[in-house]
C-alpha cells in the first residue's frame, strides 16, 4: 500500500506548497549548518566553510528543486500551471471556447444518452440482490412456440418441486392497481410475487420486513404491501412511521410492512415499480384469483430461482428437458403449443433475463444503430475542434518558436497544448453530462400509448458517468493530439522569420486541413443521406394506408364485469353498453370488436389455429366484430357481403377474409362460398376453452400494401354475435368530432379500479399513429442526427475553407498585382473549396450506400437509393462549401492588392 501513501503525499504536497517549501527550507538550512560545522572542524575559515557547504549541495535552489522532483510534485505542479495557463489563454478566445465546448458537448450528450438507455434496459444493474451470479430465470415456451414465455402457477409449483439444482424458485408477474379510496384514484404498477421472493433474491428491506411464509399461503395470503424505495420517498416523504399504515389498493385495505432497498427493480424489464404484493390473496388482486392460480392453462408468471452452492447454470439447463418431457407425458395437450409440439423449459442467467432474451438482440441492434450515429456526430464535432485548434496552433507558431528559443523542449510544448484540449474536454464533458441528465429526464416522462405509469430508471449512475468521462477524454485526445503535435514541432528560424499566415509552406500545412475537410464532409454526407432517408420514411409512414379510416372515431377498451358471466350473458352485457352509447345524439354509430386492429400491442391478441392442406397448422389473425364495423371504419368490400344481424348463434358460422388470406390459403379462388376449418381459438397467445369450427367465407376485403412493400398478413373476421367474447373494444363514430365522444364513453362505460385498460377513451387515429411509434422514433432520432451532423459539417466546412482562403490572401494579392483578373482569382478560390468538398461527398456516398442497404429493414416506403435523399444531402453540403468559400473570396476580390501587401 506504499504507492497509495505516495500518491496521497503528492496530492497533499500539491495543495500545501507553501508549507512544504518552508519545511524543505528548514531541513536544507539544518543540513547546510551541519556541513558548515564539519568544514569548520576541518580548520576552514567560516566564510570558506560556508562556501564549500553550498558547493556540496549544488546551491540551495537546485537542491530544493531536486528534492521536489524526487517527491514527484513537479509533474503535478506543471499540470496545474498548464491548466491555469490554458484557462487564461482560452478566456481571450470566447468564440473558440464556445465552438470547442458546445460541439463535443452535444456529441457527448447524444452518445451518453443512448448509453444510459442501454445501461438501464440491457446492461442494467442487479441492484441490492445478493450474489446475482447464482440467480437464474426459468422460462417456459408459450402457445405460439416462443421460447421465453410465461408459466402457469401449477406448472411453477411442479417445476419448483422437480428441479434439483436450485435451492428455491419464486413466481412473479406485473400488475396495475388503483391506489386510494376516492372516485379519483391513481394507478400504480406493482409486482405480484410468491412469499419467498425477497428471500431468494437475498434482499433485506431498509425499513420493516419482507413477507413471512405463513402470511403468503396461496388462497389465504394476508393483504400486505412492501413499498419500493422510490414510492416511499415520493408518496410518504421518506417517513419512517409508514410501517403499519393502511393503503387502499383496488378498494381493499393493505398494510405496509416494509420498504425495499434503493435500486431494487421488478424482474420484468427492470421496471421501477411502486411495490410488491403477495400472490394468493383471497378473492385475488389484478386477476390473480384462486381459480386463475389453479388453472394450468393460464400462463402469466415468470420464475426466478437461486442455484444450490456448487451448482451451475449449465447443470440447471441440463435437467429442464427431462422435466419438460415428464410434464408433457403427464399433462398432455396442456403442455403442447398451438402446433401440437411439446413445450420447452429454458434457464438463463440473471444478467440475460433483465431484458427478455428474445428481444435483447433486436434492442441491442437498435441501440448500436443509435450509438453509431451519436459517435459519428461526436467525430464530426472532434473534427471541428481539431480544425479550430490546428488553425490556432498555426497562429501561435511564433509563440511556440520563442518558447523553444528560451529552452522549452517539445515535450513541454506538447503538454502545454494538450492541457488546453484536456480543459476543453472537461468543459465539454460537463456540458454533455448535464444535457444527458435533461434528455434522460425527458425519456422518463415520454408519453406511452396507454394509461399505465411505466417507469424505467434512466438515471446517471456511475457506469454512465464513467462512460461519459471516457468519451470526453477520448474526444480530447482525438481532437487535440494532431494540432498539439503540429504546434509543438516548432521550426525556430522559419517561424521567427515568417508571419502566422503561412508564407512559404502553405501547401504542406494545408494537407492536414484538407484531410479534415474531406473527413468531415464524408461523415456528414453519410449522416445527412441517412437523415434524408429517415425523413422520407417518416412521411411515407404518415401517409400509409392501414386499410381503414379512423377519422371521427373514438375507441376504448372494456373488460368483463367482476361477476362471472356465461358467454351469452357477457355478449349481451357489452351490446347493452353499446346501445346506451349509441343513444346519445352526438353518436352516429357504434360497433364492438374483440381487438383494435390498428393497435401495435394488440396485433396478435386474437389468433386462430387453422388446418392447412399439405402443411403444418397455421396461426392466423382474426377479429370478432358486430355488424356495421366495416362501414364505421371505412373498410371496403371486394366481393360478397359483410357480416350482418342474421349471423347469430345457431346460424351457420361465417367469415370475411382479406385478399392475402385468399391467395395463401384458398389458392387465389373467388373465396365466397369456400369453407375454412378452425382447430382452436387463442387470445393473447392462450388457447381458449372453446371448440373449433368450420367457417363459410361470405366476403372478401382488400389487403393494403404496407410501406415496406409487403401486403398485410392473412386475416379474417367473424361475427361478434357468434363469438365467445373476452372483452369489448368499443368503436364510436361521432357527428361532431372525437372530442365530444370521449366523455360519453367514460359516462356509459366507466372503468373499474382494477380494470387494465390497454386503450383508454381516445381517438382511433392515435392508435394508428402509435402503431408506427417505434419506427417514427427511430427515424426521428436519425433525422435529428443527420440535421445536427449537417450543422456541424456546415460550421466545419465553413471554418476550414474560410481559414484556408484567408491564408492565401497574400498569394492572391500578388496574382492580382501581376495582372490576374479579380474574377479569375474569385473562381480559383471557389474551385479550391468546392473541389475538396466534392471529393468528401464522393467518399461519403461510397460509405453511405452500403449502410443504406443494411438499414433498409427500418425504411418504410423508401428505396435505399432514394434520389431525393442522395441529391438533397449532396446539394446542401455543396451549398455550404460554396458559401464558405464565397464570403472570404468576395472580401479578397473587393480588396486592393497593394493594401493587402502593405498590411502583410
Amino acid at each position: 500500500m506504499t504507492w497509495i501513501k505516495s500518491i496521497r503525499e503528492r496530492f497533499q504536497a500539491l495543495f500545501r506548497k507553501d508549507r512544504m517549501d518552508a519545511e524543505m527550507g528548514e531541513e536544507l538550512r539544518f543540513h547546510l549548518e551541519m556541513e558548515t560545522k564539519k568544514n569548520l572542524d576541518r580548520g576552514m575559515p567560516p566564510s570558506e566553510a560556508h562556501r564549500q557547504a553550498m558547493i556540496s549541495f549544488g546551491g540551495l535552489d537546485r537542491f530544493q528543486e531536486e528534492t521536489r522532483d524526487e517527491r514527484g510534485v513537479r509533474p503535478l505542479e506543471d499540470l496545474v500551471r498548464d491548466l491555469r495557463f490554458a484557462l487564461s489563454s482560452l478566456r481571450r478566445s470566447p468564440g473558440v471556447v464556445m465552438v470547442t465546448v458546445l460541439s463535443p458537448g452535444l456529441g457527448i450528450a447524444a452518445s451518453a444518452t443512448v448509453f444510459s438507455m442501454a445501461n438501464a434496459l440491457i446492461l442494467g444493474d442487479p441492484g441490492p440482490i445478493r450474489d446475482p451470479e447464482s440467480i437464474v430465470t426459468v422460462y417456459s415456451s408459450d402457445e405460439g412456440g416462443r421460447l421465453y414465455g410465461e408459466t402457469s402457477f401449477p406448472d411453477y409449483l411442479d417445476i419448483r418441486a422437480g428441479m434439483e439444482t436450485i435451492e428455491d424458485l419464486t413466481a412473479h408477474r406485473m400488475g396495475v392497481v388503483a391506489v386510494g379510496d376516492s372516485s379519483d384514484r391513481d394507478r400504480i404498477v406493482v409486482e405480484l410475487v410468491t412469499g419467498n421472493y425477497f428471500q431468494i433474491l437475498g434482499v433485506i428491506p431498509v425499513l420493516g420486513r419482507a413477507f413471512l411464509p405463513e402470511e403468503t399461503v396461496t388462497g389465504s395470503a394476508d393483504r400486505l404491501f412492501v413499498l419500493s424505495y422510490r414510492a416511499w420517498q415520493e408518496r410518504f416523504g421518506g417517513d419512517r412511521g409508514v410501517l403499519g399504515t393502511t393503503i387502499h389498493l383496488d378498494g381493499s385495505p393493505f398494510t405496509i410492512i416494509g420498504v425495499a432497498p434503493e435500486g431494487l427493480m421488478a424482474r420484468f424489464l427492470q421496471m421501477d415499480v411502486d411495490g410488491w404484493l403477495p400472490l394468493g390473496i383471497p378473492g385475488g388482486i389484478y386477476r390473480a384469483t384462486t381459480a386463475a392460480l389453479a388453472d394450468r392453462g393460464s400462463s402469466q408468471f415468470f420464475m426466478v430461482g437461486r442455484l444450490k452452492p456448487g451448482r451451475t447454470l449449465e447443470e440447471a439447463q441440463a435437467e429442464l428437458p427431462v422435466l419438460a418431457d415428464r410434464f408433457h407425458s403427464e399433462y398432455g395437450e396442456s403442455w403442447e403449443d398451438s402446433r401440437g409440439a411439446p413445450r420447452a423449459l429454458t434457464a438463463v442467467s440473471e444478467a440475460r433475463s433483465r431484458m427478455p432474451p428474445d428481444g435483447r438482440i433486436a434492442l441491442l441492434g437498435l441501440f448500436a444503430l443509435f450509438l453509431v450515429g451519436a459517435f459519428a456526430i461526436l467525430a464530426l464535432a472532434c473534427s471541428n475542434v481539431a480544425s479550430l485548434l490546428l488553425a490556432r496552433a498555426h497562429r501561435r507558431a511564433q509563440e511556440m518558436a520563442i518558447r523553444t528559443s528560451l529552452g522549452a523542449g517539445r515535450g513541454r510544448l506538447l503538454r502545454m497544448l494538450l492541457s488546453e484540449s484536456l480543459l476543453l474536454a472537461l468543459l465539454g464533458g460537463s456540458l454533455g453530462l448535464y444535457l444527458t441528465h435533461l434528455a434522460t429526464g425527458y425519456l422518463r416522462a415520454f408519453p406511452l400509448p396507454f394509461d399505465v405509469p411505466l417507469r424505467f430508471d434512466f438515471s446517471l449512475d456511475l457506469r454512465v458517468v464513467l462512460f461519459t468521462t471516457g468519451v470526453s477524454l477520448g474526444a480530447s485526445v482525438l481532437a487535440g493530439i494532431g494540432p498539439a503535435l503540429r504546434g509543438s514541432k516548432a521550426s525556430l528560424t522559419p517561424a521567427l522569420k515568417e508571419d502566422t499566415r503561412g508564407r512559404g509552406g502553405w501547401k504542406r500545412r494545408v494537407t492536414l486541413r484538407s484531410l479534415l475537410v474531406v473527413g468531415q464532409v464524408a461523415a456528414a454526407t453519410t449522416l445527412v443521406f441517412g437523415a434524408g432517408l429517415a425523413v422520407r420514411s417518416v412521411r411515407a409512414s404518415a401517409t400509409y394506408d392501414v386499410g381503414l379510416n379512423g377519422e371521427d372515431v373514438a375507441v376504448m377498451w372494456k373488460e368483463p364485469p367482476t361477476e362471472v358471466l356465461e358467454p351469452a350473458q357477457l355478449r349481451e352485457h357489452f351490446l347493452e353498453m353499446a346501445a346506451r352509447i349509441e343513444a346519445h345524439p352526438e353518436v352516429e354509430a357504434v360497433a364492438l370488436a374483440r381487438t383494435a386492429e390498428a393497435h401495435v400491442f394488440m396485433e396478435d391478441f386474437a389468433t386462430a389455429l387453422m388446418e392447412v392442406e399439405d402443411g403444418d397448422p397455421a396461426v392466423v389473425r382474426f377479429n370478432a366484430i358486430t355488424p356495421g364495423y366495416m362501414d364505421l371504419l371505412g373498410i371496403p368490400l371486394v366481393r360478397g357481403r359483410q357480416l350482418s344481424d342474421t349471423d347469430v348463434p345457431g346460424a351457420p358460422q361465417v367469415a370475411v377474409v382479406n385478399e392475402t388470406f385468399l391467395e395463401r390459403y384458398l389458392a387465389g379462388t373467388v373465396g365466397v362460398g369456400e369453407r375454412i376449418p378452425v382447430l382452436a381459438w387463442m387470445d393473447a397467445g392462450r388457447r381458449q376453452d372453446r371448440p373449433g369450427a368450420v367457417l363459410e367465407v361470405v366476403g372478401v376485403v382488400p389487403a393494403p400494401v404496407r410501406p415496406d412493400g409487403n401486403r398485410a398478413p392473412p386475416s379474417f373476421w367473424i361475427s361478434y354475435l357468434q363469438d365467445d367474447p373476452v372483452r369489448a373494444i368499443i368503436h364510436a363514430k361521432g357527428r361532431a368530432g372525437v372530442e365530444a365522444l370521449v366523455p360519453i364513453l367514460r359516462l356509459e362505460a366507466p372503468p373499474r379500479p382494477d380494470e387494465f385498460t390497454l386503450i383508454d377513451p381516445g381517438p382511433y387515429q392515435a392508435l394508428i399513429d402509435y402503431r408506427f411509434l417505434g419506427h417514427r422514433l427511430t427515424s426521428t432520432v436519425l433525422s435529428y442526427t443527420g440535421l445536427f451532423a449537417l450543422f456541424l459539417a456546415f460550421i466545419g466546412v465553413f471554418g476550414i475553407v474560410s481559414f484556408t482562403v484567408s491564408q492565401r490572401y497574400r498569394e492572391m494579392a500578388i496574382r492580382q498585382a501581376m495582372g490576374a483578373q479579380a474574377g479569375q482569382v474569385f473562381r480559383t478560390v471557389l474551385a479550391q473549396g468546392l473541389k475538396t468538398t466534392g471529393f468528401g461527398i464522393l467518399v461519403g456516398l461510397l460509405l453511405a450506400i452500403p449502410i443504406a442497404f443494411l438499414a433498409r429493414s427500418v425504411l418504410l416506403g423508401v428505396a435505399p437509393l432514394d434520389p431525393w435523399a442522395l441529391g438533397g444531402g449532396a446539394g446542401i453540403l455543396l451549398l455550404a462549401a460554396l458559401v464558405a468559400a464565397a464570403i472570404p473570396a468576395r472580401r479578397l476580390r473587393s480588396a486592393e492588392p497593394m493594401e493587402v501587401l502593405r498590411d502583410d
Side-chain angles (χ1 to χ4, degrees):
M1 301 298 287
T2 55
W3 61 275
I4 298 179
K5 181 180 179 182
S6 175
I7 293 175
R8 185 179 71 247
E9 289 176 350
R10 292 181 183 186
F11 275 98
Q12 288 176 347
L14 180 64
F15 297 103
R16 296 162 50 196
K17 181 175 178 297
D18 293 340
R19 181 176 175 181
M20 178 184 172
D21 288 344
E23 291 175 353
M24 281 196 300
E26 291 180 4
E27 184 178 354
L28 177 59
R29 283 191 294 272
F30 171 76
H31 288 288
L32 185 62
E33 290 175 359
M34 295 299 294
E35 189 67 24
T36 302
K37 187 176 182 302
K38 289 179 182 179
N39 290 337
L40 289 172
D41 292 341
R42 295 182 185 132
M44 293 183 187
S47 59
E48 181 64 18
H50 182 74
R51 189 177 73 83
Q52 289 297 329
M54 291 285 289
I55 292 173
S56 67
F57 282 106
L60 291 177
D61 291 340
R62 178 181 173 185
F63 179 82
Q64 188 167 352
E65 291 302 321
E66 289 176 352
T67 304
R68 295 167 66 82
D69 290 341
E70 289 178 1
R71 297 190 180 183
V73 178
R74 175 59 64 85
L76 292 174
E77 286 187 350
D78 288 344
L79 176 61
V80 173
R81 184 165 57 249
D82 287 343
L83 289 175
R84 287 176 179 171
F85 178 79
L87 182 59
S88 175
S89 177
L90 291 173
R91 281 177 180 173
R92 297 191 293 270
S93 305
V96 172
V97 175
M98 183 183 302
V99 174
T100 54
V101 171
L102 182 60
S103 293
L106 291 171
I108 291 168
S111 56
T113 299
V114 175
F115 180 79
S116 68
M117 295 171 63
N119 177 55
L121 296 177
I122 296 178
L123 301 178
D125 186 341
I129 295 176
R130 174 177 57 85
D131 189 16
E133 290 76 17
S134 66
I135 297 293
V136 296
T137 298
V138 181
Y139 295 97
S140 171
S141 60
D142 61 14
E143 287 279 350
R146 186 171 66 95
L147 192 60
Y148 303 101
E150 297 98 327
T151 304
S152 70
F153 198 77
D155 286 340
Y156 151 71
L157 295 175
D158 288 343
I159 295 169
R160 180 188 181 191
M163 289 192 71
E164 298 179 354
T165 55
I166 63 166
E167 287 184 348
D168 203 358
L169 193 70
T170 180
H172 64 92
R173 59 160 298 181
M174 303 302 296
V176 180
V177 296
V179 58
D181 52 4
S182 64
S183 58
D184 184 18
R185 304 180 183 185
D186 293 332
R187 304 172 75 196
I188 60 174
V189 178
V190 296
E191 193 170 28
L192 288 80
V193 300
T194 52
N196 56 354
Y197 179 85
F198 292 99
Q199 287 76 19
I200 289 177
L201 295 182
V203 172
I204 301 175
V206 295
L207 190 66
R209 61 177 177 84
F211 306 124
L212 299 176
E214 61 270 18
E215 297 172 334
T216 55
V217 177
T218 303
S220 61
D222 295 338
R223 297 184 184 276
L224 307 175
F225 189 43
V226 175
L227 278 173
S228 70
Y229 189 89
R230 176 192 52 77
W232 179 45
Q233 296 294 322
E234 291 181 359
R235 290 185 175 272
F236 297 93
D239 181 13
R240 301 186 66 86
V242 71
L243 298 180
T245 301
T246 298
I247 183 173
H248 283 78
L249 303 177
D250 283 353
S252 299
F254 283 75
T255 302
I256 298 175
I257 62 170
V259 176
E262 187 175 9
L264 183 64
M265 302 291 173
R267 295 305 307 161
F268 181 71
L269 291 178
Q270 288 287 287
M271 285 172 50
D272 188 6
V273 295
D274 291 87
W276 288 264
L277 299 173
L279 285 169
I281 295 173
I285 187 166
Y286 194 68
R287 307 187 207 180
T289 62
T290 303
L293 295 180
D295 184 4
R296 195 173 293 275
S298 178
S299 299
Q300 51 184 318
F301 297 98
F302 290 101
M303 298 175 291
V304 173
R306 181 175 292 277
L307 294 169
K308 291 180 179 178
R311 308 307 290 265
T312 66
L313 174 65
E314 290 72 21
E315 291 176 320
Q317 179 58 51
E319 71 171 325
L320 289 177
V322 178
L323 274 180
D325 290 341
R326 195 185 87 195
F327 294 156
H328 180 236
S329 62
E330 290 180 4
Y331 303 120
E333 288 186 1
S334 65
W335 256 83
E336 294 177 353
D337 62 22
S338 58
R339 291 178 172 83
R343 288 164 52 195
L345 293 172
T346 307
V348 302
S349 66
E350 185 275 334
R352 283 192 61 205
S353 65
R354 295 170 195 163
M355 172 64 59
D358 46 4
R360 183 183 178 89
I361 296 178
L363 201 58
L364 276 172
L366 180 63
F367 283 141
L369 178 64
F370 286 169
L371 202 57
V372 167
F375 278 145
I377 286 181
L378 185 58
L380 275 175
C382 290
S383 178
N384 279 352
V385 174
S387 303
L388 200 57
L389 293 179
L390 187 66
R392 180 177 170 81
H394 180 57
R395 293 192 186 99
R396 299 175 64 182
Q398 286 185 343
E399 174 193 342
M400 297 299 109
I402 292 172
R403 290 180 179 273
T404 302
S405 68
L406 294 176
R410 189 182 184 191
R412 182 72 187 85
L413 297 179
L414 186 62
R415 289 198 306 270
M416 186 186 73
L417 293 173
L418 282 177
S419 66
E420 290 189 4
S421 300
L422 178 60
L423 182 61
L424 293 172
L426 292 174
L427 296 174
S430 300
L431 175 62
L433 204 58
Y434 175 69
L435 294 176
T436 302
H437 170 69
L438 296 180
T440 52
Y442 169 76
L443 289 173
R444 284 194 296 270
F446 190 80
L448 295 172
F450 43 80
D451 186 25
V452 177
L454 302 185
R455 297 182 182 91
F456 299 97
D457 185 16
F458 296 140
S459 58
L460 306 184
D461 60 10
L462 180 61
R463 192 184 285 123
V464 177
V465 173
L466 290 177
F467 173 84
T468 306
T469 303
V471 169
S472 302
L473 294 177
S476 166
V477 173
L478 182 65
I481 190 66
L485 288 172
R486 176 61 60 86
S488 63
K489 190 178 179 181
S491 183
L492 188 59
T493 303
L496 293 175
K497 285 183 177 180
E498 297 175 3
D499 64 18
T500 60
R501 282 166 292 190
R503 285 190 289 263
W506 176 80
K507 288 187 178 180
R508 178 179 61 81
R509 282 191 297 271
V510 82
T511 303
L512 181 56
R513 287 196 294 272
S514 298
L515 290 177
L516 285 172
V517 173
V518 171
Q520 277 188 300
V521 174
T525 300
T526 304
L527 290 175
V528 171
F529 174 48
L533 289 176
V535 170
R536 298 268 294 160
S537 183
V538 169
R539 292 188 61 186
S541 66
T543 58
Y544 165 51
D545 180 16
V546 295
L548 48 82
N549 181 11
E551 187 177 357
D552 295 331
V553 176
V555 63
M556 76 172 295
W557 169 296
K558 197 61 194 164
E559 287 191 339
T562 53
E563 60 270 21
V564 178
L565 300 176
E566 293 296 325
Q569 296 173 311
L570 185 58
R571 188 187 312 117
E572 190 62 30
H573 168 77
F574 288 138
L575 290 173
E576 289 176 359
M577 187 181 300
R580 292 198 305 270
I581 295 172
E582 194 169 12
H584 287 260
E586 298 90 346
V587 180
E588 180 180 333
V590 175
L592 302 181
R594 178 185 275 240
T595 71
E597 296 174 39
H599 199 291
V600 64
F601 296 115
M602 296 190 67
E603 199 168 59
D604 293 313
F605 251 59
T607 53
L609 187 66
M610 287 184 44
E611 183 179 344
V612 180
E613 293 184 6
D614 301 327
D616 295 331
V619 177
V620 184
R621 300 172 186 172
F622 80 95
N623 197 1
I625 59 176
T626 56
Y629 171 88
M630 292 187 170
D631 286 337
L632 185 145
L633 289 177
I635 300 176
L637 197 66
V638 174
R639 68 180 67 93
R641 69 172 178 86
Q642 295 184 10
L643 301 173
S644 69
D645 294 329
T646 59
D647 300 318
V648 296
Q653 298 191 55
V654 296
V656 173
V657 302
N658 68 357
E659 292 175 321
T660 311
F661 186 101
L662 199 68
E663 295 168 2
R664 187 170 302 179
Y665 301 124
L666 298 178
T669 61
V670 173
V672 176
E674 298 284 343
R675 296 184 178 275
I676 53 177
V678 175
L679 301 177
W681 305 91
M682 291 176 287
D683 188 78
R686 299 183 179 91
R687 192 182 301 222
Q688 288 186 265
D689 185 15
R690 173 186 174 191
V694 176
L695 308 177
E696 179 185 350
V697 177
V698 296
V700 179
V701 298
V705 178
R706 292 179 165 180
D708 58 7
N710 297 319
R711 301 189 74 176
S715 303
F716 67 91
W717 292 260
I718 64 173
S719 173
Y720 195 86
L721 306 178
Q722 295 179 333
D723 186 34
D724 287 352
V726 293
R727 76 186 67 84
I729 310 299
I730 303 173
H731 300 68
K733 189 167 186 176
R735 304 181 190 277
V738 177
E739 293 76 11
L741 297 177
V742 172
I744 295 175
L745 294 178
R746 293 186 185 277
L747 174 67
E748 300 295 351
R752 300 190 314 275
D754 62 338
E755 188 172 14
F756 175 73
T757 55
L758 190 60
I759 305 172
D760 280 338
Y764 196 94
Q765 187 60 41
L767 302 186
I768 300 175
D769 294 338
Y770 278 125
R771 185 180 183 87
F772 298 100
L773 180 63
H775 165 71
R776 287 178 180 172
L777 180 61
T778 303
S779 299
T780 301
V781 170
L782 294 177
S783 302
Y784 282 116
T785 299
L787 292 175
F788 185 56
L790 176 63
F791 171 71
L792 288 178
F794 189 95
I795 292 177
V797 171
F798 186 90
I800 296 175
V801 174
S802 298
F803 178 77
T804 302
V805 171
S806 66
Q807 299 304 297
R808 302 184 64 183
Y809 269 16
R810 185 173 186 274
E811 173 195 343
M812 295 303 170
I814 293 175
R815 289 191 180 190
Q816 291 189 56
M818 295 181 67
Q821 297 295 320
Q824 183 181 1
V825 173
F826 183 78
R827 288 191 296 272
T828 301
V829 174
L830 288 182
Q832 176 67 31
L834 292 177
K835 181 170 65 175
T836 307
T837 306
F839 184 70
I841 291 174
L842 179 61
V843 173
L845 290 178
L846 292 177
L847 295 173
I849 290 174
I851 294 175
F853 276 98
L854 291 175
R856 64 180 178 271
S857 60
V858 299
L859 301 175
L860 296 181
V862 180
L865 297 181
D866 183 69
W868 288 100
L870 278 171
I876 291 173
L877 290 173
L878 282 174
L879 179 63
L882 182 65
V883 174
I887 292 177
R890 182 179 178 84
R891 190 164 62 244
L892 176 62
R893 181 180 182 181
S894 61
E896 290 294 331
M898 295 309 297
E899 291 181 4
V900 174
L901 294 174
R902 189 182 303 114
D903 292 340
D904 182 67

